[in-house]
Amino acid sequence: MAKITASVFTSHVPAIGAAIDLGKTTEPYWQPVFKGYEVSKQWMTDNQPDVIILVFNDHATAFSLDMIPTFAIGTAESYQPADEGWGPRPVPVVQGHPELAAHIAQSVIQQDFDLTIVNKMDVDHGLTVPLSLMCGQPQAWPCPVIPFAVNVVQYPVPSGQRCFNLGKAIRKAVESFDKDLKVQIWGTGGMSHQLQGPRAGLINQAFDNAFLDQLIADPAAAAAIPHIDFVREAGSEGIELVMWLIARGAMDDVPADASQNIAAQEHPVSLKHRFYHVPASNTAVGHLILENT
Ligand code: DHB
Ligand code: FE
């Protein structure tokens, strides 16, 4: 059977991708950011998954106001890095896992979550920057990736609670796939940032660190945060943090339904890495690695 082995949480700031691609990672501004991911790159080497389910948001690159799927799963063989206006990033093509993706679509839709099936999609910094942070600059990404896109750009956006419950459904889907695969699930985006309006530049370190604490130790409480609180406290783009709740909901210590609290003690998760840094472009960078024990 397939199994979720770990979850990774990370910001996806586009300027981080540019810093990597232009060889600026050792510059004084960027050095502390990349230092925080040295442990992570080693951890990736030591804990190679067979597949990554990468929960991310598209930034009006693959989708537009013409079509706004709330949740979309990539079932394609491969995904090209997108051109976001400066040419496509010089990173490997992302290979998909159509078989597992189709199985997840079947299972999760039957568990009453409406997913859009995407057979062709270019992937922007929301997906490629987390891969670069965790894997460096390889010739090919270390394993197939299933892109799982969430609309956090155009209102209405899904609630944190719905995202958390979706994570539980994804775990059930993975565990019913009859091949022995080690699957990681990554929740990306965030942390606090606001890119427009009078509050542009907003960063809230107290909120971000409290969110990290809660995501680790009391994810059900983090899932109960109303979307308006993310916007008020973490800025309009801080709403990207609901995507972290999908990955967290898929971990073993989260009971499939709230009446089964005993599961949390039976299946504790292990915190392998925690990192927080301000600033990176207009954003606070947050990062966690959690393993199922
Ligand atoms: C920035 C952050 C983002 O999440 C994004 O999608 C675009 C820009 C920034 O900090 O500049
Ligand atoms: Fe973003």
Side-chain angles (χ1 to χ4, degrees):
M1 287 304 188
K3 172 92 185 87
I4 291 181
T5 53
S7 53
V8 171
F9 307 83
T10 181
S11 304
H12 66 210
V13 194
I16 291 178
I20 296 170
D21 301 341
L22 299 172
K24 294 183 173 179
T25 56
T26 55
E27 289 186 358
Y29 181 85
W30 288 112
Q31 196 271 343
V33 174
F34 292 102
K35 195 165 183 331
Y37 286 82
E38 277 169 18
V39 172
S40 318
K41 283 192 275 188
Q42 186 59 50
W43 177 86
M44 270 307 280
T45 307
D46 297 343
N47 295 276
Q48 282 288 317
D50 297 310
V51 188
I52 297 166
I53 301 170
L54 206 157
V55 181
F56 75 111
N57 70 293
D58 175 76
H59 300 74
T61 304
F63 307 125
S64 69
L65 292 180
D66 289 350
M67 206 188 304
I68 307 167
T70 303
F71 299 119
I73 186 165
T75 44
E77 293 279 355
S78 64
Y79 307 87
Q80 294 291 332
D83 184 344
E84 299 178 59
W86 293 272
R89 289 192 61 215
V91 292
V93 171
V94 176
Q95 300 301 325
H97 199 302
E99 200 188 348
L100 178 59
H103 172 82
I104 292 172
Q106 162 76 23
S107 170
V108 168
I109 290 170
Q110 287 299 318
Q111 293 177 70
D112 302 334
F113 287 91
D114 304 319
L115 305 185
T116 300
I117 312 293
V118 182
N119 289 314
K120 187 173 185 331
M121 171 166 66
D122 291 348
V123 286
D124 70 14
H125 67 271
L127 185 130
T128 61
V129 166
L131 283 172
S132 296
L133 280 168
M134 295 298 294
C135 307
Q137 295 175 286
Q139 289 297 310
W141 298 121
C143 69
V145 174
I146 298 176
F148 195 105
V150 180
N151 168 44
V152 287
V153 169
Q154 179 65 34
Y155 278 77
V157 298
S159 69
Q161 187 63 61
R162 183 158 173 76
C163 288
F164 192 59
N165 292 342
L166 173 58
K168 299 180 195 180
I170 292 173
R171 173 182 160 200
K172 211 166 154 186
V174 168
E175 290 178 350
S176 62
F177 187 68
D178 68 356
K179 287 209 172 109
D180 287 336
L181 293 178
K182 293 193 290 273
V183 180
Q184 289 180 7
I185 184 162
W186 294 11
T188 66
M191 295 197 84
S192 59
H193 62 306
Q194 171 143 347
L195 300 178
Q196 70 265 302
R199 297 202 310 165
L202 176 144
I203 286 176
N204 185 342
Q205 303 199 32
F207 175 89
D208 287 341
N209 282 291
F211 183 78
L212 292 173
D213 291 343
Q214 211 167 40
L215 195 76
I216 296 164
D218 191 0
I225 299 172
H227 92 269
I228 195 66
D229 286 11
F230 284 108
V231 177
R232 285 196 180 115
E233 297 292 332
S236 51
E237 277 65 48
I239 192 65
E240 289 180 346
L241 284 170
V242 295
M243 296 184 289
W244 294 31
L245 289 159
I246 297 179
R248 189 65 183 90
M251 294 298 281
D252 282 359
D253 63 336
V254 175
D257 76 70
S259 61
Q260 298 174 321
N261 278 329
I262 202 152
Q265 285 83 44
E266 280 177 7
H267 304 287
V269 296
S270 160
L271 175 66
K272 292 292 160 184
H273 186 43
R274 176 174 176 160
F275 175 63
Y276 184 75
H277 176 80
V278 174
S281 189
N282 303 294
T283 309
V285 169
H287 174 40
L288 296 175
I289 298 175
L290 296 178
E291 270 180 20
N292 280 327
T293 49

